[in-house]
Structures are given as structure tokens and as C-alpha cells.
Amino acid sequence: NEENKEDEVTDTTLSSRPVLEILTEILSSSPRNSTLCDCVDDQTLKLRQECKQLAQYILKLLLHAADISNPAKPTDLAKYWAECCLEECFAQGDREDELSLPISPLCDRQTVKKAESQISFLQFVIQPTYALVGEVIPRVKKDILPMVEWNVKYWRRMKARMSSTNGLSPFAELNKEEFQEELEELVNEDEE
């Protein structure tokens, strides 16, 4: 019975220790295996460094995705933040114009087409970024990428509406009820 207790202790000790630690201990107990043990230690160190670098890269990617996440939110929030961001850019462009400086891209309120700027940003920045995040966090593919696609459709619809209103802003013309109707039409189109 005492023998069984010793076996249990050994089994528990072995199962709770990392396999690499156990192998290193076994290999280092014999002088002829010291080279192999050094190799295992070098590989472990290299693997840990690579994992740390990968973790840092993933954290930077997630921080970047959070920073540019406004267009990946539900359409009403995405639209609100698009307006805020564009207004900030336009204020910069206005100041640059006052100082007789060249107006920065996307900062000229006279030439920037809101819907086109949002479509481009969504397609060339947001979708690729969130597709990459989706490789790390599968739920992003399921929950966020469809919202991004939905918002692309919304802005395309606004672009078409802008064309049909002879360049007048579709935003100024839409009140909250009309905005909801636009969204419902998008849902109906999506279901067809």
C-alpha cells in the first residue's frame, strides 16, 4: 500500500511538471547528453522569443483595429463617427486654406465625397484589417465582418442617393425616420 502511495506521488509530480522540464532533467543527468540538453534549451528560448514577438504583433494589431473600429460598428454609430471624423478633417483643411497651405487629402470640404471616402476606407483599410483579426479571433469573422459589409452597402446606397440628388448631401435630407427606412430597405435587399 505504501508502494502505491509513492507511485501516486510520482505520477502526480510528473503530470504537473512540463514535459520539457522532465526531458531536460533526464537528458542532463547523463554527461553524454549535455549537448542535446543545450540544444533543447536553445530551441526553447528561441520558441519563447518567437511567441513573445507574435503576441506583441497580435496586441498591436488588436490596438490598431480598436483605433479604427468606428466603421465596423452598427450603421447608426458608424455614420455618426464618420461625420465626426470628416468634420475634424474639414476643420484641418479649413485652417490649412486660411494659412495658404496645400489642403491635405480628405480635408477639403469642397471636394471630398463623404460616401466615396467611407467606401474606400471600409474596403481598403477596415475589411483587410478585420479579416486579419478574424484569423486570430474567429468571432470577428462571424460578427464584425458582416457589419463592415453592411456598412459598405449603406455607403454605396448613400453614394447612389447623392448622385440622384444632384450633389446635395444625403445626410442633410435624412431625418431619423428616413434613416431607419433606408436601413430597412437594405435589410430587404439583403434578404432577396
Side-chain angles (χ1 to χ4, degrees):
N1 201 12
E2 286 297 317
E3 227 174 80
N4 286 343
K5 282 185 181 179
E6 280 183 27
D7 287 342
E8 284 178 24
V9 170
T10 304
D11 288 343
T12 305
T13 305
L14 285 176
S15 67
S16 65
R17 291 176 55 200
V19 173
L20 190 58
E21 185 181 314
I22 296 167
L23 286 173
T24 302
E25 186 177 302
I26 292 168
L27 292 173
S28 63
S29 65
S30 171
R32 70 170 205 242
N33 289 331
S34 63
T35 306
L36 181 58
C37 186
D38 291 341
C39 178
V40 168
D41 286 345
D42 289 344
Q43 290 299 322
T44 302
L45 182 60
K46 184 178 178 184
L47 182 60
R48 282 185 181 152
Q49 288 171 339
E50 289 174 1
C51 286
K52 184 177 180 183
Q53 288 174 341
L54 179 61
Q56 288 173 343
Y57 173 75
I58 290 171
L59 287 174
K60 287 177 184 178
L61 174 65
L62 293 174
L63 182 60
H64 175 65
D67 185 42
I68 62 170
S69 67
N70 293 334
K73 293 180 174 150
T75 306
D76 55 342
L77 283 173
K79 178 181 174 263
Y80 170 80
W81 284 109
E83 290 290 327
C84 290
C85 290
L86 285 170
E87 190 51 47
E88 185 178 329
C89 289
F90 294 155
Q92 176 183 324
D94 295 345
R95 185 69 178 135
E96 290 169 340
D97 190 41
E98 288 171 12
L99 297 171
S100 299
L101 295 170
I103 299 175
S104 299
L106 295 176
C107 293
D108 188 344
R109 70 174 71 243
Q110 304 305 317
T111 60
V112 170
K113 296 177 179 169
K114 293 178 183 180
E116 286 181 21
S117 72
Q118 294 307 299
I119 292 166
S120 295
F121 188 62
L122 281 157
Q123 289 180 325
F124 299 111
V125 177
I126 300 299
Q127 284 178 324
T129 299
Y130 279 89
L132 187 57
V133 172
E135 294 298 318
V136 178
I137 305 170
R139 188 165 175 192
V140 168
K141 279 184 181 177
K142 179 181 168 241
D143 294 338
I144 295 177
L145 282 174
M147 181 57 62
V148 170
E149 185 57 40
W150 177 263
N151 287 335
V152 169
K153 288 178 184 178
Y154 170 79
W155 287 108
R156 283 186 180 143
R157 188 171 187 92
M158 289 298 101
K159 181 180 174 184
R161 185 177 241 262
M162 185 83 151
S163 297
S164 70
T165 59
N166 296 320
L168 297 174
S169 172
F171 303 107
E173 296 178 9
L174 287 181
N175 61 34
K176 188 170 182 152
E177 290 78 28
E178 290 171 325
F179 178 73
Q180 287 302 115
E181 288 174 17
E182 286 286 338
L183 290 179
E184 287 173 19
E185 285 181 38
L186 280 172
V187 169
N188 293 337
E189 286 176 9
D190 231 25
E191 291 173 353
E192 291 174 358

